[in-house]
Amino acid sequence: VEIGTWGGRSAAIMASRLGPNYTNHTVDCYIEDIVAKHGANLPKHPREIAADVLAEYPSVVQHLATSTEVAEKWPHAPISVLFVDGSHAQEAVLTDLTVWAPIMTPRAAIVLDDMTWPGVAAAPKLFFKTQVFKTAEWRRQPAKKWPFLNGNIAAWFRGVR
């Protein structure tokens, strides 16, 4: 599951790497004031760009709703990867982690993009302090620059040694 589809670039890259046997669900509510601020120079709405980009990847399923709305009604199998690149506000990132974690498989990965943003960097610290999701269950991979994404990435793995 990818939180924050925007123009679909990272979803397309993941789909091309994973192949057609893996389903990638993307979630974005496209908050209009954010679209107006960050998408002003785009030729069309980011939702339309994502639809065009992802049309060649039938393994990508787009959900046009908030992360919480999709997680609360999740009818699919548990997820093995949660890629969070939606709102960069601490509360929003913490909410994304909190609502999706119960749906994750015992062997899972949480990946956060844009760790240079204070809200993104702070959220996992709070998340892993909770009784349910203690840091001891998760192994962190240090943040590093991934060539196809803007921003620093950090990943945590559960059930993998």
Side-chain angles (χ1 to χ4, degrees):
V1 171
E2 176 182 355
I3 310 301
T5 311
W6 195 247
R9 182 174 165 224
S10 58
I13 291 169
M14 284 187 263
S16 69
R17 302 277 196 289
L18 293 173
N21 295 328
Y22 293 90
T23 302
N24 181 16
H25 293 266
T26 67
V27 180
D28 206 317
C29 61
Y30 295 102
I31 299 169
E32 288 307 316
D33 60 336
I34 293 173
V35 171
K37 181 179 178 182
H38 297 289
N41 295 325
L42 296 175
K44 54 186 169 179
H45 196 285
R47 178 183 59 245
E48 295 169 4
I49 294 171
D52 292 346
V53 167
L54 299 175
E56 69 179 273
Y57 301 102
S59 62
V60 178
V61 178
Q62 286 189 272
H63 300 270
L64 300 176
T66 68
S67 174
T68 300
E69 290 168 341
V70 176
E72 287 175 347
K73 296 177 182 178
W74 189 251
H76 309 284
I79 65 170
S80 56
V81 176
L82 177 64
F83 180 72
V84 181
D85 188 19
S87 171
H88 292 40
Q90 177 182 309
E91 185 176 310
V93 177
L94 185 57
T95 297
D96 290 338
L97 295 172
T98 303
V99 299
W100 285 97
I103 307 169
M104 298 185 79
T105 62
R107 292 176 54 95
I110 294 173
V111 181
L112 298 180
D113 190 20
D114 296 323
M115 287 293 290
T116 55
W117 287 67
V120 177
K125 294 173 188 167
L126 294 171
F127 173 73
F128 288 119
K129 283 184 180 178
T130 66
Q131 291 183 356
V132 179
F133 305 104
K134 294 195 185 286
T135 307
E137 292 183 26
W138 296 84
R139 179 178 55 87
R140 182 170 184 206
Q141 177 186 22
K144 66 177 187 176
K145 203 78 158 164
W146 286 15
F148 59 87
L149 296 172
N150 295 322
N152 284 322
I153 299 283
W156 289 262
F157 298 91
R158 178 173 68 185
V160 179
R161 300 208 185 268

